[in-house]
Amino acid sequence: MSMGAGEPPGGARAWLVWGVAAAAYFLAMFHRNGMSAAALQAQERFDVGPALLSVLPMVQLIVYVALQVPAGVLADRLGPRRSLLIGLGVMACGVLLFAVAPSIVPAVAGRVLIGVGDALVFLNVIRLGALWFPRRQYAVISALTGLTGSLGQMVSVAPLSALLRGFGWETTFLGAGAVSVAVGFLVLLVVRDGPVGAAAARLHPISLWASIKEALSARGPRVGMAVHAVLMVPFCVLGILWGYPFLEQGYGLTAGRSGMLLTGVALPPMILVPFLARLTGTHPNLRKPMGLTLAWSITLAWFLVAAWPGGLPPIQVAGATIALSAVGAVLAPAIAFDYARDGLPASRTGAASGLVNMSGFTSVVGGIVSAGVLLDIYGPDAFQIAFAPMASLCLLASSVLTVLLWRYPKRAG
């Protein structure tokens, strides 16, 4: 397939720019998902129960979700480089505050700052993909960006748990904040908003509301919102907060074995995702069967866990469900954000990407908070009841996705 007229060429320089920006996203995911590995230590440090503990990631995610569309429009207006620098700076301040917080209130303030900085990272990595690479490579770039985030999530699970046990709370999180500052210097040195002589021509900013209206008027971004609202949700709920408690308190696994399971199930799809994303990039009509199959499989699997008679299902069933959820989470960016590009100019992908991300993380927040409330009501091991709302959110999103993809127009490869 030939490159479209006016498309960016890609190449080695594009990969270098994307790689440095992706390193910033890696750190953002590390900070975002650290509460899963640190959940039990946080309960002891701040002397809080499950419901109040869920406030830490909840507040961070609410801020993250609320800023998605403004962050997308900012990416179109201010440019990815400056947006990434602002995001990394704010995020580093939040991590440092969280590291030294003596009680829940300053800890929440730290997570708010992390959420503000985090909101400016992912969309700008995706934005750089639209500005530096041709359209046919966008699914691969989105998938690799999601893959980078999955690696960050993995590092925030087992390795972070080991660091917390070996070096303590403050040293671990202070070190993470220092690394964020170092990556900010790399962004300053390497990242540019587009190929020389092309970036300015591609930036045609419009107002916030006009950006939202433009994105929602196209069918592709709406499909992307539905895809993201189901595929990424269960594994993110586990990765951000409830994975370790589910396996440790629900199944009696040690912290080490829990980390190995949560990390191990993500490895196979991470290896396969670049190849699958290349297929969807060159054969975009594969997105529909792939998205629908994953959405309904994940939904039904979590309903099986929630409805298993006599208590939690065998660990093999739970492990397979978590593994399936990991496949969905890793593939979600390749499918959701590629759909979000349909019908929109490359210069205004920010708002559509923000809406897609907002949709997914709204469901994540719902799953995290509802689980925390139900665990407080029914007991710390009532995970079947606690995960029922998450399964219901997946059912709703899968149903909407099915309707939106009915007679979805084909796109040339």
Side-chain angles (χ1 to χ4, degrees), residues 7-104:
E7 285 194 334
R13 173 62 175 165
W15 284 108
L16 176 62
V17 169
W18 174 84
V20 172
Y25 181 49
F26 177 94
L27 279 174
M29 288 294 286
F30 179 96
H31 297 320
R32 183 192 305 169
N33 292 283
M35 280 308 301
S36 179
L40 299 181
Q41 293 96 324
Q43 281 186 280
E44 296 178 3
R45 180 179 176 89
F46 303 127
D47 192 23
V48 295
L52 191 55
L53 177 65
S54 68
V55 169
L56 290 172
M58 178 193 72
V59 169
Q60 176 184 339
L61 284 175
I62 287 176
V63 172
Y64 178 87
V65 170
L67 291 178
Q68 283 308 289
V69 176
V73 175
L74 185 67
D76 291 340
R77 286 177 172 271
L78 193 59
R81 181 172 181 256
R82 283 183 286 179
S83 297
L84 282 172
L85 288 171
I86 294 170
L88 284 165
V90 174
M91 194 159 49
C93 292
V95 175
L96 296 176
L97 177 58
F98 186 67
V100 300
S103 63
I104 190 68

Side-chain angles (χ1 to χ4, degrees), residues 25 44 57 61 72 79 131 136 157 222-223 234 243 245 260 286 300 323 331 345 347 349:
Y25 181 49
E44 296 178 3
L61 284 175
L131 291 172
R136 69 179 183 274
V157 182
R222 285 181 277 137
V223 172
M260 288 178 62
L286 290 176
L300 295 176
L331 276 173
S347 61
T349 58

Side-chain angles (χ1 to χ4, degrees), residues 189-211:
L189 291 173
V190 175
V191 173
R192 297 296 181 270
D193 290 340
V196 175
R202 287 194 176 114
L203 293 174
H204 302 292
I206 57 178
S207 71
L208 173 64
W209 296 114
S211 297

Side-chain angles (χ1 to χ4, degrees), residues 137-165:
Q137 291 186 263
Y138 190 69
V140 175
I141 299 304
S142 298
L144 290 175
T145 303
L147 182 60
T148 303
S150 297
L151 289 170
Q153 182 168 328
M154 288 171 60
V155 170
S156 72
V157 182
L160 179 58
S161 180
L163 287 171
L164 286 167
R165 292 195 302 269

Side-chain angles (χ1 to χ4, degrees), residues 352-375:
S353 297
L355 287 167
V356 170
N357 227 22
M358 182 178 68
S359 173
F361 280 99
T362 298
S363 294
V364 170
V365 170
I368 289 174
V369 175
S370 60
V373 171
L374 291 173
L375 287 171

Side-chain angles (χ1 to χ4, degrees), residues 370-398:
S370 60
V373 171
L374 291 173
L375 287 171
D376 249 9
I377 294 173
Y378 293 100
D381 58 352
F383 287 101
Q384 284 182 288
I385 296 173
F387 289 152
M390 179 183 72
S392 300
L393 288 170
C394 290
L395 175 62
L396 175 61
S398 297

Side-chain angles (χ1 to χ4, degrees), residues 105-399:
V105 174
V108 169
R111 301 310 289 189
V112 168
L113 290 176
I114 294 172
V116 173
D118 187 10
L120 294 171
V121 176
F122 174 77
L123 294 181
N124 284 286
V125 183
I126 292 290
R127 183 78 173 84
L128 286 168
L131 291 172
W132 277 91
F133 292 90
R135 178 67 176 91
R136 69 179 183 274
Q137 291 186 263
Y138 190 69
V140 175
I141 299 304
S142 298
L144 290 175
T145 303
L147 182 60
T148 303
S150 297
L151 289 170
Q153 182 168 328
M154 288 171 60
V155 170
S156 72
V157 182
L160 179 58
S161 180
L163 287 171
L164 286 167
R165 292 195 302 269
F167 295 97
W169 182 279
E170 292 187 6
T171 300
T172 297
F173 284 110
L174 285 173
V179 173
S180 299
V181 174
V183 172
F185 280 110
L186 276 178
V187 170
L188 183 65
L189 291 173
V190 175
V191 173
R192 297 296 181 270
D193 290 340
V196 175
R202 287 194 176 114
L203 293 174
H204 302 292
I206 57 178
S207 71
L208 173 64
W209 296 114
S211 297
I212 295 173
K213 183 178 179 180
E214 179 185 56
L216 292 178
S217 66
R219 196 171 177 183
R222 285 181 277 137
V223 172
M225 291 172 69
V227 170
H228 221 221
V230 56
L231 294 193
M232 64 163 288
V233 172
F235 199 66
C236 281
V237 168
L238 296 177
I240 292 172
L241 187 61
W242 295 121
Y244 264 71
F246 176 48
L247 295 172
E248 291 183 35
Q249 297 176 350
Y251 286 97
L253 300 185
T254 63
R257 292 186 66 187
S258 298
M260 288 178 62
L261 192 156
L262 291 170
T263 301
V265 297
L267 289 176
M270 288 170 63
I271 294 171
L272 291 174
V273 71
F275 305 101
L276 295 173
R278 184 176 295 275
L279 280 177
T280 61
T282 56
H283 304 284
N285 296 313
L286 290 176
R287 299 175 302 177
K288 179 177 179 179
M290 190 180 296
L292 286 173
T293 299
L294 280 171
W296 283 108
S297 297
I298 290 170
T299 298
L300 295 176
W302 279 103
F303 268 111
L304 179 65
V305 170
W308 194 275
L312 288 171
I315 186 62
Q316 293 85 352
V317 175
T321 301
I322 295 171
L324 179 62
S325 301
V327 173
V330 171
L331 276 173
I335 301 173
F337 290 97
D338 196 61
Y339 267 120
R341 284 286 307 272
D342 288 358
L344 293 176
S347 61
R348 288 200 292 269
T349 58
S353 297
L355 287 167
V356 170
N357 227 22
M358 182 178 68
S359 173
F361 280 99
T362 298
S363 294
V364 170
V365 170
I368 289 174
V369 175
S370 60
V373 171
L374 291 173
L375 287 171
D376 249 9
I377 294 173
Y378 293 100
D381 58 352
F383 287 101
Q384 284 182 288
I385 296 173
F387 289 152
M390 179 183 72
S392 300
L393 288 170
C394 290
L395 175 62
L396 175 61
S398 297
S399 301

